[in-house]
Amino acid sequence: LKDMLSKTVKAHGNKNAFLRKVNDSYEGITYKRFQKDVNAFGTALLDQNYKDSFIGVMGENRYEWCLTYMSVINGAGVIVPLDKELDPDEMLYIADESKMKILVYSDKFNDKVEALRKKSKTIELYISMDSDLSAYIETGNELIAKGDTSYTDIIIDIEQLKILLFTSGTTGVAKGVMLCHRNLLVELYGIGKTVDLTHEDTVLSILPLHHTYECTCGFLVILYKGGTIAFCEGIRHIAMNIK
């Protein structure tokens, strides 16, 4: 996936990878900017000695969720996507089971995160997508400018555990499904051969990104094809967002 992103940047670097809504209008984030942010955040995490740690991500569908996901799986550690609808005790169970060291979260879920802070014995670092992430990216860019290539030089083992995805627990407690880059690449290749997607397409991401279906079809395969991703603000806003 690291190589995939590099190839897409080479082919479509100045094209918008994401459309992020700011106030009432959309601003574009290019593939070059996305890769730069990914490298910066990954470098900052390694600088704090969190390489190969289990890192949780929790929030609504947004650019920062995708940035966190790619930064972690492309060298920083193992990503653990969390369902934002879980209650704090369910989140605590997943944090304990995965030995989660970091949680990257959206401020919309501050109440749940605060409850988790009081109980979790494994999470050492909480990073807000809204108030902390930009500082990490700035730090990472400064380190890279000074010659730090600890993150960008990482060669990915496509068989190594990089995604720990917990099931909904329909028939009992949630269980962690272990995925690697090869698992996702096979899916992306298959989708790319089956679904007629091109770099000219724009996708509105609606389903939760922590689901593998949306993560592959509404996120990763779009990056693979060089398309553009926008995010739905909610079921009531689908028609307006499409427009």
Side-chain angles (χ1 to χ4, degrees), residues 12 21 34 43 89 118 124 131 140 142 158 209 221:
H12 307 288
K21 196 167 188 183
F34 179 54
T43 300
D89 286 337
K118 296 175 182 178
E124 301 174 0
S131 56
E142 290 173 356
I158 63 172
L209 275 168
V221 78

Side-chain angles (χ1 to χ4, degrees), residues 77-119:
V78 179
I79 195 71
V80 186
L82 288 166
D83 182 351
K84 63 185 182 299
E85 302 300 328
L86 295 176
D87 62 45
D89 286 337
E90 290 171 315
M91 290 182 181
L92 178 64
Y93 170 78
I94 291 174
D96 288 345
E97 283 291 298
S98 65
K99 296 180 174 57
M100 189 184 297
K101 290 284 187 70
I102 302 173
L103 177 62
V104 184
Y105 67 95
S106 166
D107 281 0
K108 284 187 177 181
F109 306 97
N110 270 336
D111 290 346
K112 292 183 179 183
V113 173
E114 287 306 311
L116 192 59
R117 282 182 191 264
K118 296 175 182 178
K119 295 182 178 181

Side-chain angles (χ1 to χ4, degrees), residues 15-67:
K15 183 179 180 296
N16 285 331
F18 298 91
L19 294 176
R20 178 166 58 180
K21 196 167 188 183
V22 179
N23 297 322
D24 291 325
S25 61
Y26 284 91
E27 67 173 20
I29 298 173
T30 66
Y31 274 96
K32 284 184 178 178
R33 158 79 185 280
F34 179 54
Q35 185 183 46
K36 185 179 179 181
D37 286 351
V38 165
N39 290 339
F41 188 34
T43 300
L45 291 174
L46 263 58
D47 184 62
Q48 294 199 3
N49 297 316
Y50 281 108
K51 188 177 188 304
D52 297 330
S53 295
F54 286 79
I55 300 173
V57 58
M58 190 265 290
E60 70 277 19
N61 289 12
R62 55 188 290 183
Y63 172 70
E64 293 80 7
W65 195 103
C66 299
L67 167 61

